[in-house]
């Protein structure tokens, strides 16, 4: 079974600085999808960024980018120019392409932005 | 607006009571699922469905029942509520076929307290 691990329960960063959240996963599949979700205090799950495993190029969405290392099974999220509104829980998630295509989540990282 | 509608948003139950959490989507998604979110454990899959009439167990199915009589609806039933079922519950849906539109859409969550 696939597993996703986020080893940083909490992270903090100064406003306007850069922070990287770590995520590793375990799978025997060669093709899959990876996601980062943001959950603010409103509880809503918001898609931040996604990556197809067959693509070598790292995904980027404005201030958010990923470092996808397929061989190392690593999928870290970099937030540049951190803003107060970035404070939230961040979840890394994996979705298989074959079979039941379930979405598997990591434990989450709580990000605090210090003004 | 198109999306996943989840009701109720909050619920308090007494131990032993039963209830149904409702989930409906209007995007014609084949795949629907229920997750529970507990501190430090991320989101864990309870049950999922890949189409009307087809359901299967996830990681933590005990104490919960589901059915999928239509594409749109996927209710989650708590048979005899226990304090261990105090959690935040999310419904999520997605297209099943591989393609560009492989992301999940989440409901707004239900905070359930069992006393």
């Amino acid at each position: 079974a696939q597993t996703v691990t986020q080893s940083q329960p909490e992270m903090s960063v100064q406003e306007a600085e850069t922070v990287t959240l770590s995520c590793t996963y375990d799978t025997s599949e060669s093709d899959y999808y990876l996601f980062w979700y943001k959950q603010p205090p409103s509880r809503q799950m918001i898609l931040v960024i996604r990556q197809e495993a067959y693509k070598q190029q790292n995904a980027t969405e404005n201030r958010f980018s990923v470092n996808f290392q397929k061989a190392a099974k690593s999928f870290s999220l970099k937030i540049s120019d951190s803003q107060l509104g970035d404070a939230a829980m961040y979840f890394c998630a994996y979705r298989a392409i074959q079979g039941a295509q379930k979405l598997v989540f990591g434990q989450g990282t709580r990000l605090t932005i210090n003004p | 607006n198109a999306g996943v509608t989840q009701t109720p948003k909050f619920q308090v139950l007494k131990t032993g009571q039963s209830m149904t959490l409702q989930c409906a989507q209007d995007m014609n998604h084949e795949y629907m699922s229920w997750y529970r979110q507990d501190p430090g454990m991320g989101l864990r899959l309870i049950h999922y469905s890949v189409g009307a009439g087809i359901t299967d167990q996830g990681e933590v199915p005990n104490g919960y029942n589901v059915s999928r009589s239509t594409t749109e609806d996927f209710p989650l039933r708590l048979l005899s509520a226990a304090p261990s079922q105090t959690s935040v519950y999310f419904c999520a849906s997605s297209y099943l076929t591989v393609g560009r539109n492989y992301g999940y859409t989440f409901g707004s969550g239900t905070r359930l307290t069992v006393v």
Side-chain angles (χ1 to χ4, degrees):
Chain A
Q2 294 88 2
T3 59
V4 178
T5 302
Q6 294 177 249
S7 58
Q8 307 154 315
E10 296 182 350
M11 293 280 285
S12 64
V13 64
Q14 290 296 124
E15 191 177 3
E17 295 192 344
T18 295
V19 63
T20 298
L21 308 185
S22 301
C23 173
T24 59
Y25 57 94
D26 187 26
T27 183
S28 58
E29 302 293 328
S30 60
D31 205 4
Y32 45 85
Y33 303 125
L34 296 166
F35 306 85
W36 278 98
Y37 283 92
K38 171 185 178 181
Q39 187 183 45
S42 67
R43 204 169 65 202
Q44 186 66 36
M45 294 292 287
I46 301 167
L47 178 64
V48 174
I49 198 165
R50 59 190 185 184
Q51 174 85 39
E52 295 99 334
Y54 68 86
K55 289 187 177 180
Q56 293 186 337
Q57 186 173 6
N58 290 325
T60 300
E61 290 285 345
N62 300 316
R63 298 182 295 107
F64 299 87
S65 61
V66 298
N67 183 5
F68 174 48
Q69 301 289 328
K70 190 173 184 179
K73 297 179 182 175
S74 172
F75 184 60
S76 61
L77 174 70
K78 185 171 82 170
I79 306 174
S80 304
D81 186 24
S82 297
Q83 300 176 359
L84 294 178
D86 295 334
M89 282 290 289
Y90 285 82
F91 292 99
C92 179
Y94 166 102
R95 180 180 188 180
I97 289 180
Q98 301 298 327
Q101 301 180 28
K102 295 175 282 188
L103 192 62
V104 179
F105 285 88
Q107 302 90 331
T109 297
R110 181 172 300 281
L111 178 64
T112 302
I113 312 294
N114 300 314
Chain B
N1 289 338
V4 176
T5 302
Q6 197 178 326
T7 57
K9 293 194 183 319
F10 300 93
Q11 183 71 49
V12 179
L13 286 180
K14 293 183 179 179
T15 297
Q17 286 184 320
S18 63
M19 78 159 295
T20 299
L21 305 184
Q22 301 291 345
C23 177
Q25 53 92 10
D26 57 3
M27 298 167 285
N28 209 28
H29 285 168
E30 301 96 341
Y31 186 97
M32 297 187 74
S33 54
W34 278 101
Y35 289 85
R36 61 177 288 172
Q37 182 181 7
D38 302 292
M41 306 190 77
L43 280 76
R44 294 180 294 168
L45 184 63
I46 304 171
H47 285 286
Y48 66 97
S49 168
V50 297
I54 305 169
T55 63
D56 205 347
Q57 297 181 349
E59 185 183 356
V60 288
N62 292 340
Y64 307 96
N65 251 355
V66 291
S67 60
R68 184 102 179 264
S69 56
T70 66
T71 300
E72 295 78 18
D73 300 296
F74 191 47
L76 177 72
R77 298 180 186 85
L78 278 70
L79 308 172
S80 177
S84 61
Q85 294 179 303
T86 294
S87 187
V88 177
Y89 292 84
F90 286 95
C91 179
S93 71
S94 171
Y95 291 112
L96 194 58
T97 52
V98 174
R100 284 183 55 83
N101 208 352
Y102 54 81
Y104 278 65
T105 302
F106 284 83
S108 56
T110 297
R111 181 174 292 280
L112 175 67
T113 302
V114 183
V115 297

